[in-house]
Amino acid sequence: MSRFCLKESFVTSETDYYRRRDFMRLGAVNALALGAASAGMLGLSSSVTASPASPDFIRKAKAAKKTIVADDKLNDFDDITQYNNFYELGTSKTDPYKNASALITDPWSVSVEGLCAKPGKLTLEDLLKPHDFEERIYRLRCVEAWSMVIPWMGFPLADLLKRFEPSTDAKYVAFETLYDKGRPLPGQRGRSIRWPYREGLRMDEAMNPLTFMAVGLYGKVLPNQNGAPLRLVVPWKYGFKSIKSIVKIKFVSEQPETSWNQLQSREYGFYSNVNPAVNHPRWSQARERRIGELRKRRTLMFNGYEKEVAGLYKGMDLQRYF
Ligand code: MTE
């Protein structure tokens, strides 16, 4: 465990919340993002491999308001950054933080393509410029039946997508993660997945106010192992829909191919809404292990976001469209 004790002390109480704000005012956001070498000097966790925070990032992080908050206790920083799924960096839970430095996030650009009036290739800086940051505490439920509670920082995906003026023919939006054939990431040398990692959402799911583009967590720049420099967070769907390290966004008319569905369509559907009543063919989805807890807890329909998203699926057979 790191000596940088965000952990429980960073969690839910008002006192701790303000303590964190003071910490950030002291410029800690920048210091925390310096990466492994300087982190050691500062007595911080060596697990944090992240780009330095830009002045724009620091300003927005300080101003970020908590907008949507899960009541659950937060997972600590070490859990969130040392127990990951990021196949590009390896298949075991600890590979992503061990191999995090293999992911180079500067320079970074995102190509926006397909059925929209304003396609283009944007540098990360241009992509982030118009967006203020919010902090959102969301539950993340992995299809493997574990879960965490994570304080993300970022902005609604809808605000980003609207800038490109999608046409009415755009019924879906497809996403891709970095894949450079000439310089594959450690996990991309194997053929566990047909690279690049791909995900997609129906347009109304993408525009739902809960759907979030995260660029940070715990008030800091997103660590590489969590999908730097920007990743999707769709809290009512199984975690694999929340694609990391995005380089391409494409507006399309047909349901796009997605990585886990390509790999095993009987086990991983396109929708993949968290649903305790639809078991994975090889295990139950009724319960989950919250990382850091001993007893399993009940899994909630739509991961507890039923009020916000059930309307998206009215009239659909959720057993069939899993
Ligand atoms: N995105 C990419 N590009 N590659 C991946 O392997 N894994 C997914 C998702 N996004 C994955 C990905 C899975 S299975 C989960 S559960 C979440 O990321 C885990 O996010 P976390 O490691 O930040 O907790």
Side-chain angles (χ1 to χ4, degrees), residues 72-75 79 146-149 288-298:
D72 317 38
K73 179 174 171 293
L74 290 185
N75 277 96
D79 285 341
W146 54 264
S147 63
M148 291 205 205
V149 183
E288 66 198 55
R289 185 171 60 91
R290 178 70 48 86
I291 300 301
E293 291 180 357
L294 288 176
R295 293 170 73 95
K296 286 195 172 177
R297 55 170 67 214
R298 232 165 30 90

Side-chain angles (χ1 to χ4, degrees), residues 79-91 93 96 140-144 146 148 150 152 176-178 188 193 195-199 217 222-227 231-233 237-246 259-260:
D79 285 341
I80 297 169
T81 58
Q82 296 183 30
Y83 185 94
N84 298 99
N85 275 338
F86 196 175
Y87 274 50
E88 287 84 341
L89 297 177
T91 50
K93 294 287 179 281
L140 176 100
R141 169 59 158 86
C142 180
V143 75
E144 297 163 337
W146 54 264
M148 291 205 205
I150 303 178
W152 300 107
E176 280 182 23
T177 294
L178 174 75
Q188 290 175 321
I193 281 172
W195 308 108
Y197 191 103
R198 294 185 179 86
E199 258 311 332
L217 62 82
L222 199 61
N224 286 5
Q225 55 266 46
N226 294 92
R231 56 102 42 97
L232 199 62
V233 186
K237 291 179 178 283
Y238 290 119
F240 65 83
K241 298 291 292 181
S242 293
I243 183 173
K244 297 178 170 183
S245 304
I246 294 167
S259 289
W260 284 97

